[in-house]
Amino acid sequence: MTNDSSSRIVTALREWIAAAPAGARLPSTRSLVARYEASPVTVQKALRVLSASGLIESRPGVGTFVRAIRTARPLDFGWQTAALGSPPNRLQSSPATMRAATADAIALHEGYPERDLLPGRLVRAALARAGRSEAALSRSPASGLPALQSWFASELAELTPVGVTPPTSSNVIVLPGSQSGLSSVFRALVTAGQPLLIESPSYWGAILAAAQAGVRVVPIPSGPTGPDPDALARAFEETGARAFYTQPNYANPTGAQWPADAALQILDVARTYGAFLIEDDWAHDFGISTSSTPLAAHDDDGHVVYIRSLTKSVSPALRIAAIVARGPARERIIADRAAASMYVSGILQAAALDIVTQPGWQTHLRGLRESLRSRRDFLVDSLATYAPLAQLTALPPGGLHLWLRLPDGTDLARLVRDCEAQGVFIAPGDDWFPAEPTGPFIRLTYSGPNPGAYPEAARVIGRGLEQGRQQRGTDS
């Protein structure tokens, strides 16, 4: 039979369905074959067309039935505007780093390492063992599994110099990722309406968490060696702030690491003003030419609130981090955490502990260091060759990203669109500034998939910048 026969059956059945009640059973295929003098293949083809149109549904072993037709109508959520009122903060819902790239794109905008840089074998084995353990059927304490608390404390204790009292497991709060920890710290220690000093540029997630907590951010300029201690002291003096959020090791987005003497000067400033230094050690495991040296290892009087994440280095599917805090500050943070999430999945905690205590974990980190070095240098060389207008602010000694200054007058939004149209995803730097950007910047990751495509990505960026320069010359 031809397609015309199938169309004839579809038309006839549409008329039958229109007159039948919802849930009515269609005649059997055999009956339809006889009625329309068609082959079973033609009848089945007609039924597939009707099913794809949402007019009928097949129930295996029972038959085919008319579906209930739901009439589309406009939905009115206007009442919610009055119920919610004006938002206290205009929160960004879709930062550039979270844009979904197509499978064949060159993704230089994301913030997570690709699968080849993760300890996949360790993760899968640990999750399987955790699923067979008691953690699969029990609730963990609000502050975390004691063994995992001890691991976080001992890691920091190993870096603590003589004369400083190292942290203990009782100082540790396990988190479902560091982002939720930032929100809790800002709510518990800074509180809504109060000032929070923050490096500029700084991690966009911290800026977002501060806005969500209603905290008033005060930007502190920061360069390759960190902020100026005197400028930080003036900011404490002028604003009355009692907290400073910072990333002393491999800052996101710049990759900067503070020199040891500058770090201790910053800590002294916090002590002088009786303030908290909120240290985000997100990239602890991503050292390349250096290793992370937490400021928290030099503090035993509770000025440093230390956040350590395993999410990016272990797996984005295994969101585990920790806060190390002492004194009443810890009690306020744990109270906020209990209200926000009660406790962290025991399976994820057990798996994380399993991974970081395996001999293969240190082997993985050694290999990761070399992989990141190779990728970083290849991307830097590719940009120098094909996109010389993009100036690297400093070669990062660790982390996952390059921070590049573009020529003044660069239309950043247009550059991002033009690159994306050619399959290259880049992150505009504006998201990392708590106030107005100091110029046009982009952040590029060297930890994404397909590093072999770095030269092509650099060519696309370079052409976009060159075209922009020519356009500015024409306009002038």
Side-chain angles (χ1 to χ4, degrees):
M1 303 301 290
T2 65
N3 288 337
D4 289 340
S5 298
S6 176
S7 299
R8 175 173 56 86
I9 298 171
V10 168
T11 300
L13 286 178
R14 282 182 183 275
E15 294 176 356
W16 185 90
I17 291 168
R25 182 172 179 174
L26 271 68
S28 67
T29 300
R30 181 178 298 178
S31 299
L32 295 175
V33 167
R35 177 183 300 180
Y36 297 108
E37 298 180 348
S39 72
V41 172
T42 301
V43 169
Q44 287 295 333
K45 183 176 180 180
L47 293 176
R48 286 196 296 271
V49 171
L50 294 169
S51 179
S53 300
L55 297 175
I56 62 174
E57 60 180 346
S58 178
R59 302 173 190 171
V62 180
T64 304
F65 300 84
V66 176
R67 293 188 63 184
I69 304 300
R70 294 177 172 84
T71 303
R73 62 182 180 85
L75 302 178
D76 182 9
F77 300 115
W79 67 270
Q80 292 190 4
T81 302
L84 293 170
S86 298
N89 299 285
R90 294 285 181 179
L91 300 178
Q92 185 179 0
S93 59
S94 183
T97 61
M98 304 299 286
R99 299 197 319 278
T102 56
D104 57 345
I106 306 172
L108 300 179
H109 68 303
E110 297 177 344
Y112 287 85
E114 71 149 323
R115 184 174 301 183
D116 289 350
L117 298 176
L118 302 176
R121 181 182 58 81
L122 293 179
V123 171
R124 291 185 176 91
L127 285 170
R129 284 190 288 268
R132 296 191 297 268
S133 71
E134 279 298 312
L137 299 173
S138 58
R139 179 181 68 82
S140 72
S143 56
L145 294 180
L148 185 57
Q149 288 178 285
S150 294
W151 182 85
F152 278 114
S154 63
E155 182 189 61
L156 193 54
E158 289 176 2
L159 301 172
T160 301
V162 175
V164 178
T165 303
T168 65
S169 59
S170 63
N171 302 131
V172 177
I173 304 168
V174 178
L175 311 167
S178 61
Q179 186 64 30
S180 64
L182 290 175
S183 297
S184 286
V185 169
F186 295 158
R187 284 193 300 264
L189 305 187
V190 183
T191 71
Q194 297 303 306
L196 168 71
L197 306 186
I198 185 169
E199 284 183 285
S200 180
S202 188
Y203 171 45
W204 65 261
I207 299 170
L208 182 65
Q212 192 173 43
V215 168
R216 178 167 60 88
V217 296
V218 179
I220 304 297
S222 188
T225 59
D228 175 40
D230 292 336
L232 180 64
R234 286 194 299 272
F236 274 123
E237 186 74 35
E238 293 169 0
T239 65
R242 288 294 176 266
F244 173 41
Y245 168 80
T246 183
Q247 297 178 331
N249 293 284
Y250 319 134
N252 179 5
T254 65
Q257 184 178 37
W258 299 356
D261 56 346
L264 293 178
Q265 289 179 43
I266 296 284
L267 180 55
D268 285 342
V269 171
R271 286 171 173 155
T272 298
Y273 285 91
F276 292 104
L277 193 153
I278 302 165
E279 179 181 12
D280 186 352
D281 195 15
W282 72 278
H284 184 90
D285 299 316
F286 298 135
I288 296 177
S289 57
T290 64
S291 296
S292 177
T293 53
L295 263 180
H298 299 272
D299 171 68
D300 56 10
D301 51 10
H303 282 284
V304 178
V305 175
Y306 177 72
I307 304 175
R308 161 77 159 105
S309 177
L310 292 172
T311 300
K312 284 186 169 71
S313 54
V314 171
S315 168
L318 203 154
R319 292 184 60 80
I320 291 293
I323 289 174
V324 180
R326 312 193 200 204
R330 179 192 181 277
E331 304 311 312
R332 294 201 182 189
I333 296 169
I334 192 66
D336 185 272
R337 293 306 314 147
S341 62
M342 296 184 68
Y343 58 90
V344 181
S345 164
I347 285 184
L348 296 185
Q349 292 188 71
L353 178 64
D354 186 327
I355 294 164
V356 297
T357 53
Q358 291 289 331
W361 172 243
Q362 293 301 324
T363 302
H364 165 73
L365 291 182
R366 287 191 291 272
L368 178 62
R369 179 180 288 256
E370 294 309 311
S371 294
L372 291 178
R373 183 196 307 275
S374 174
R375 287 164 171 257
R376 179 200 64 182
D377 294 348
F378 189 30
L379 182 54
V380 168
D381 291 344
S382 298
L383 291 165
T385 301
Y386 301 110
L389 293 178
Q391 294 296 309
L392 184 66
T393 57
L395 184 69
L400 303 175
H401 316 294
L402 302 180
W403 184 241
L404 298 125
R405 179 66 154 85
L406 307 184
D408 290 337
T410 297
D411 186 337
L412 196 52
R414 180 176 179 176
L415 176 66
V416 171
R417 288 195 305 269
D418 290 348
C419 288
E420 190 167 324
Q422 298 177 71
V424 177
F425 283 65
I426 62 177
D430 293 2
D431 288 346
W432 282 271
F433 286 93
E436 292 79 8
T438 57
F441 291 85
I442 56 173
R443 193 200 72 173
L444 305 180
T445 182
Y446 46 83
S447 65
N450 194 14
Y454 288 168
E456 176 57 27
R459 288 188 187 96
V460 170
I461 296 169
R463 286 197 298 266
L465 291 172
E466 185 60 38
Q467 290 168 2
R469 181 170 71 170
Q470 293 173 2
Q471 181 64 44
R472 291 192 300 276
T474 302
D475 293 343
S476 61

